Amino acid sequence: MSAVQLHVGDDGILVATMDLPGRPMNVVGDELMLGIARAVERLADPAVKGLVLTSAKADFCAGGDIDRMSKWTRPEQPFEAGNAMKAVLRQMEGQGKPVVAAINGHALGGGLEIALACHARLALDDARLKLGQPEVKLGLLPGGGGTVRLPRLVGIQAALQIMGEGADMSPQQALGLGLLAGLARDRDDLMAQAKAWIAANPKAKQPWDQPKFRFPGGDSRSPAVAQLFSVAPSVASARSWGNYPALQHIMSSVFEGGLLDFDAASQVESRYFAACAMSQQSRNLIGTLWYQLNAIKKGASRPAGLPATKVNKLGILGAGMMGAGIAYVAAKAGIEVVLLDTTQEAAERGKAYSRGLLDKAVKKGRSTVDKRDALLARITPTTDYAALQGCDLVVEAVFEDREVKAGVTRRAEAALGEGAVFASNTSTLPITGLAQASRRPNNFIGLHFFSPVDKMPLVEIIVGKATSDETLARGFDFVLQIGKTPIVVNDSRGFYTSRVFGTYVMEGIAMLAEGVHPRSIEVAGLQAGMPMPPLALQDEVSLSLGLHVADQTKKDLAAEGKAYVEHPGMAVVRQLCALGRIGKKSGQGFYDYAEGDKSLWPGLTRLYPTAAQQPPQRELIARLMFAQANEAARCFQEGVLRSVADANVGSIFGWGFAPFHGGALQFIDALGASAFVARSRELAAKYGPRFEPAQVVVEQALRGGHFSDAAAKAGT
Ligand code: NAD
């Protein structure tokens, strides 16, 4: 069966329907392009008046074939693949008869590039339909003519925005930009409009093939565009700290292409595409945010063989910051929610949080009054445990206190059916210990959400000693049901995310005590690719919380007869707390906060005088990143982590580990175990034994192997 079905109607119009055999979606590869080339050949027939390109699948075309791209090892391969696709598309737009894209579903990446090579684009008027060039998110650029056609259609500035941000557009937005010629009610209307366009434009030509073609808004020589290019690269660099070469390559391709004719510009694009496809950043991003993330979503970390489950009624204990956020995301997913607190007022306040978010969404046109009211009607605020009857799952989000948590666990279980799952949203307390308060520890699990719950994509699922596979599967299904990404870890102090995230922040704080200038520390965090610098981040979390957790850990370890080794950064935290500088919530921490603004506290350099000799930034960056990667490797070695995919995806989604590295363990894989071990030992000699490389990496260095091999073996 061919990838593109051809049918000529009585009207003489050829309809080419993309339908890649054996694939759920149409993806750009040799097979699809060959099918399109065949359709173009049919246009030579004098009886054929024009071509409508559409799809038999739910999407129009989802983008490039990533499996094919991941096999490329030499730059000639992406260069030639790009050129082969371009040759077909150039032929399609230049053969003299009209071609219309009838966009019936998502047209993303290479899919949109195919549509751009048609003389007109029409799309279904469905707000869920996505159009866009998301290549940059995987470290790539549109290599099928996107950086050449898009600027010639919508202007250089708009094109840079579309390709540089990689955000999806709705058909309405695309229409506003002039990317679409019109919108259609349904598939029949789409086809009718496409055919009408062909009838009305028998001699269609692309704008850039017209003799008097001008770029909308000017080409790269025009003063306005020259001015744009005098600032855009530095703005992009300031935002990305130069960590995402694809962004620079997109800008270069558009700029240089804006000085050249169409065909020369296409060649330039293929070169930049090859550079992107061969970059380590792209490999890291594709490996983690494509393959490993997809494996997680398909349930790689879910116990196999158990039937899929759904939560219909959810109980939430504690309507504070976290409880209120969890109520919102669950109600949004259509789940009935009982939101319980100690007073009716507190419970109502928790529900009001959802109202606040929804009112904002209605105001911005992202939701409607009806949808808001329906969602709010699903949340019942209460103080009555009897209301929990019939809940499939209860998430506890009361104060971080063992006694308080034990009390609510007992009261809730008394009202729940035998099969209900009880989950704790604790951020620090081991789940196995909390489960002691439960009558059914098999049904007890940790569901660690991140704040703010409505924005953060991850939930860390913690498996206690007694947690059953069935409970894990049900927790996993719930996380997917509310649209979040689950990672599964074994019980341990700080679990995975808090434990590794802590090493980033504490390493930055330790530098302060050594006399590194606080501004250099903060800049190093951003240069490393982290979303927030370490001192600012500790202020957000609060220094007093950090101190509380450290003291609790010390006490717990003493009770277990184990040694407690304090991180050198902790002495700084103690000192600031003693001065009452406990973080953002008190208006002062490493920073002073006033009227929505903040600045580093000048007293910091008096307390910790700046050393005359400052280390190079790359040394600071290495410390911040090695500290995290090494701790993640220790979590893997100790069995806290159950999979490489969970480690990598969890690090990016949980605390923003620099995405271009592909996650905390991929950081080590990309560097190579031997190089990681050697550099870690250097750092350990200079800054302390916390940098001694994890044994698992030392073994890899000796015997070979990568974390990603383990991921492949586990099918992830
Ligand atoms: P919070 O102080 O904002 O909310 C706690 C809520 O629990 C309050 O509304 C309080 O009235 C209620 N509560 C206390 N005792 C109760 C009882 N006996 N019965 C019913 N309700 C009771 O705290 P939070 O920030 O929402 O944190 C809640 C839990 O989530 C904690 O375990 C915390 O460690 C964890 N957590 C917090 C974050 C975060 O960033 N804040 C992130 C992940 C996990």
Side-chain angles (χ1 to χ4, degrees):
M1 197 172 107
S2 161
V4 179
Q5 310 294 319
L6 303 182
H7 176 78
V8 185
D10 296 340
D11 50 11
I13 294 176
L14 171 65
V15 176
T17 308
M18 299 184 281
D19 190 7
L20 211 54
R23 295 266 206 153
M25 294 177 289
N26 288 318
V27 289
V28 178
D30 292 340
E31 216 180 335
L32 191 75
M33 292 318 294
L34 188 68
I36 295 177
R38 293 238 167 89
V40 174
E41 279 163 22
R42 287 286 295 276
L43 287 170
D45 180 344
V48 176
K49 297 197 176 103
L51 167 68
V52 179
L53 186 60
T54 190
S55 143
K57 303 209 191 280
D59 61 305
F60 176 76
C61 175
D65 181 347
I66 297 196
D67 287 345
R68 177 173 80 139
M69 294 187 198
S70 343
K71 293 191 190 102
W72 289 333
T73 52
R74 291 173 293 112
E76 302 89 286
Q77 293 165 314
F79 181 77
E80 280 157 16
N83 277 351
M85 174 177 181
K86 283 187 241 250
V88 174
L89 297 182
R90 195 75 186 119
Q91 180 72 22
M92 181 170 85
E93 66 186 357
Q95 43 63 44
K97 290 183 185 168
V99 182
V100 179
I103 303 175
N104 57 297
H106 301 329
L108 293 167
L112 184 59
E113 290 180 292
I114 291 174
L116 293 176
C118 298
H119 299 108
R121 286 152 297 283
L122 299 160
L124 284 182
D125 189 8
D126 177 349
R128 286 166 305 178
L129 195 155
K130 295 180 193 165
L131 300 141
Q133 301 286 175
E135 289 86 345
V136 70
K137 292 185 180 164
L138 293 180
L140 297 168
L141 65 66
T147 73
V148 182
R149 290 191 179 88
L150 206 50
R152 284 164 170 78
L153 269 174
V154 299
I156 284 179
Q157 186 163 6
L160 282 180
Q161 200 168 348
I162 293 168
M163 295 185 288
E165 289 175 6
D168 302 329
M169 290 173 278
S170 67
Q172 285 286 355
Q173 286 168 317
L175 183 72
L177 276 166
L179 267 183
L180 299 178
L183 300 177
R185 284 186 313 276
D186 51 35
R187 274 190 182 239
D188 289 345
D189 184 32
L190 184 65
M191 194 50 73
Q193 285 197 41
K195 290 186 167 183
W197 198 95
I198 288 176
N201 298 276
K203 295 214 160 70
K205 246 187 180 185
Q206 293 286 33
W208 42 90
D209 289 326
Q210 320 257 4
K212 290 203 174 138
F213 171 70
R214 295 274 174 279
F215 273 70
D219 65 16
S220 300
R221 286 179 203 86
S222 75
V225 172
Q227 196 177 5
L228 172 70
F229 275 111
S230 71
V231 291
S234 47
V235 170
S237 215
R239 249 189 246 150
S240 69
W241 296 91
N243 290 324
Y244 294 85
L247 251 184
Q248 283 138 19
H249 291 331
I250 287 171
M251 280 188 283
S252 302
S253 187
V254 170
F255 176 74
E256 292 171 36
L259 298 169
L260 300 167
D261 67 31
F262 189 95
D263 295 318
S266 297
Q267 287 301 298
V268 167
E269 179 190 85
S270 291
R271 294 209 164 87
Y272 282 117
F273 176 61
C276 285
M278 288 296 107
S279 71
Q280 184 63 48
Q281 288 85 346
S282 175
R283 277 166 214 231
N284 293 342
L285 288 163
I286 287 176
T288 300
L289 295 184
W290 181 261
Y291 285 109
Q292 295 182 2
L293 180 59
N294 284 343
I296 286 177
K297 287 187 177 159
K298 279 191 200 138
S301 308
R302 184 188 188 275
L306 295 166
T309 61
K310 239 176 121 174
V311 170
N312 294 310
K313 185 175 174 188
L314 171 73
I316 299 174
L317 311 180
M321 189 164 93
M322 298 305 287
I326 299 166
Y328 171 74
V329 294
K332 197 168 169 214
I335 299 172
E336 193 189 330
V337 177
V338 174
L339 185 56
L340 184 147
D341 209 298
T342 44
T343 65
Q344 188 63 27
E345 203 192 343
E348 301 276 357
R349 221 178 309 129
K351 177 171 175 175
Y353 175 76
S354 287
R355 175 176 282 278
L357 289 179
L358 290 160
D359 282 346
K360 239 191 252 165
V362 171
K363 221 168 152 189
K364 288 194 175 155
R366 280 190 278 109
S367 189
T368 62
V369 171
D370 285 354
K371 277 191 193 153
R372 176 195 68 191
D373 293 349
L375 192 155
L376 288 174
R378 285 196 280 274
I379 305 177
T380 309
T382 186
T383 57
D384 183 7
Y385 280 81
L388 297 174
Q389 258 175 30
C391 282
D392 315 282
L393 169 70
V394 166
V395 178
E396 165 280 299
V398 299
F399 298 139
E400 188 74 343
D401 179 297
R402 282 197 183 94
E403 286 312 307
V404 178
K405 287 189 188 296
V408 298
T409 305
R410 286 189 208 103
R411 291 186 69 181
E413 283 187 350
L416 290 170
E418 279 305 306
V421 169
F422 190 97
S424 174
N425 179 44
T426 177
S427 30
T428 54
L429 303 169
I431 289 299
T432 308
L434 291 180
Q436 283 168 4
S438 168
R439 277 193 295 123
R440 302 187 297 267
N442 292 356
N443 290 17
F444 199 101
I445 196 163
L447 289 182
H448 179 206
F449 285 80
F450 295 76
S451 173
V453 178
D454 58 301
K455 296 224 170 70
M456 296 296 285
L458 193 77
V459 176
E460 183 176 29
I461 302 182
I462 300 119
V463 181
K465 275 217 174 75
T467 307
S468 69
D469 273 2
E470 195 197 337
T471 300
L472 170 56
R474 289 172 64 186
F476 193 97
D477 293 348
F478 168 67
V479 175
L480 288 182
Q481 191 183 347
I482 57 171
K484 305 268 178 211
T485 301
I487 61 164
V488 180
V489 307
N490 287 327
D491 200 11
S492 130
R493 199 172 303 285
F495 315 127
Y496 165 58
T497 54
S498 308
R499 175 171 160 184
V500 182
F501 157 81
T503 62
Y504 165 64
V505 176
M506 292 314 287
E507 198 56 38
I509 297 174
M511 292 172 187
L512 200 57
E514 296 164 18
V516 180
H517 194 285
R519 186 152 294 119
S520 303
I521 300 171
E522 296 297 77
V523 171
L526 296 173
Q527 286 174 319
M530 301 297 292
M532 235 195 180
L535 306 180
L537 205 44
Q538 184 65 61
D539 266 4
E540 292 282 330
V541 177
S542 105
L543 282 77
S544 48
L545 180 66
L547 188 59
H548 173 76
V549 173
D551 287 343
Q552 184 68 47
T553 306
K554 194 170 170 180
K555 229 195 280 170
D556 290 351
L557 288 177
E560 292 166 26
K562 290 184 189 151
Y564 169 72
V565 184
E566 188 152 279
H567 194 289
M570 217 49 224
V572 175
V573 174
R574 282 182 199 285
Q575 195 164 10
L576 264 84
C577 283
L579 294 172
R581 303 195 66 92
I582 61 167
K584 187 177 172 184
K585 65 178 176 189
S586 71
Q588 48 176 18
F590 291 109
Y591 286 75
D592 281 325
Y593 296 81
E595 289 155 19
D597 214 0
K598 68 176 177 189
S599 53
L600 276 163
W601 175 46
L604 274 183
T605 45
R606 283 194 294 277
L607 263 188
Y608 307 104
T610 310
Q613 184 81 27
Q614 289 289 301
Q617 285 300 106
R618 64 172 184 282
E619 179 87 349
L620 305 183
I621 295 169
R623 285 175 66 177
L624 294 174
M625 300 315 280
F626 273 68
Q628 297 176 72
N630 205 23
E631 194 68 14
R634 283 195 198 110
C635 287
F636 189 81
Q637 175 182 309
E638 292 166 17
V640 174
L641 280 166
R642 297 172 149 210
S643 89
V644 174
D646 285 348
N648 285 330
V649 171
S651 68
I652 296 177
F653 284 7
W655 73 94
F657 185 89
F660 68 94
H661 284 304
L665 293 183
Q666 176 59 24
F667 178 90
I668 301 176
D669 273 1
L671 202 63
S674 301
F676 183 86
V677 166
R679 184 77 169 111
S680 292
R681 287 184 173 148
E682 259 174 52
L683 293 172
K686 275 197 206 161
Y687 307 107
R690 63 186 179 282
F691 282 105
E692 278 302 336
Q695 194 53 33
V696 58
V697 192
V698 174
E699 308 248 324
Q700 285 176 358
L702 286 173
R703 291 184 238 295
H706 289 94
F707 287 109
S708 54
D709 301 340
K713 242 180 259 155
T716 61

